[in-house]
Amino acid sequence: MGLLTFTINVTLDGCVDHQEGIVDDETHALFTRLMDESGAMLWGRVTYEMMESYWPAVARGDEEAPPTLREWAVKLENKPKYVVSSTRKDFPWTNSHHIAGDLRMGVQKLKDATPAGVLLGSGKLATELDRLDLIDEYKFLVHPKLAGHGPTLYQSGLPAARRLELVSAKPLRCGAVAMHYRRAR
């Protein structure tokens, strides 16, 4: 069984708006490595649609992009992508699959079938999966910014606090810190 790892960019005040992170070659290399190390990606519909609206065009060469972004896009194109949605059924992007029905059972089945692990990249979905006790690890890239707005990490709350164990912390040149935590059980 593979681990389910929640990874996301977050500011010091908890904002997870993808436009608030620091974007440079080092941060892209970090997320490319995380994707390379995982067996599949897992998103909610909103994140999937945001990713689908840009990255396939970059992978095809239809959008201008620096080499690090093109590398990310090509790898993402080939990576299995799983989407949780109750409102959308068709996911035409290459290697995209729909998880329908019981959320706990669908995600547990995905974890069981993916020994290299699953990388979760959607905030709202992470909240639901944390409520179901399915997240094993957290890899946050904490940016040295105060966004002053949302959406924020776990803004809809959890039933109880989660105790985490620090695995590693690595500062990046831009001032962000890559934090890796494991769920304390």
Side-chain angles (χ1 to χ4, degrees), residues 65-168:
T68 53
L69 293 185
R70 187 154 328 282
E71 176 189 10
W72 160 266
V74 169
K75 289 182 177 190
L76 184 58
E77 189 75 14
N78 296 314
K79 185 65 71 173
K81 296 167 281 293
Y82 291 84
V83 187
V84 173
S85 177
S86 61
T87 59
R88 183 174 170 182
K89 307 295 183 225
D90 182 41
F91 299 91
W93 186 8
T94 306
N95 293 320
S96 294
H97 311 277
H98 185 212
I99 294 180
D102 182 80
L103 182 60
R104 179 189 304 273
M105 190 170 20
V107 172
Q108 187 61 57
K109 183 178 174 183
L110 175 60
K111 286 174 63 172
D112 292 343
T114 314
V118 179
L119 203 58
L120 166 64
S122 294
K124 288 181 183 177
L125 181 57
T127 301
E128 294 308 311
L129 294 176
D130 223 331
R131 288 178 180 156
L132 295 172
D133 200 30
L134 288 170
I135 297 178
D136 303 295
E137 294 186 333
Y138 305 79
K139 293 185 178 181
F140 298 138
L141 185 57
V142 182
H143 294 268
K145 291 178 80 176
L146 298 173
H149 65 85
T152 59
L153 193 61
Y154 292 100
Q155 74 183 29
S156 60
L158 291 173
R162 297 285 189 250
R163 175 85 175 107
L164 306 177
E165 298 171 351
L166 179 65
V167 175
S168 66

Side-chain angles (χ1 to χ4, degrees), residues 19-40:
Q19 297 177 354
E20 292 298 339
I22 297 168
V23 179
D24 64 13
D25 286 348
E26 190 176 24
T27 59
H28 272 286
L30 171 75
F31 282 104
T32 300
R33 182 180 51 77
L34 291 174
M35 182 172 55
D36 286 345
E37 293 170 353
S38 72

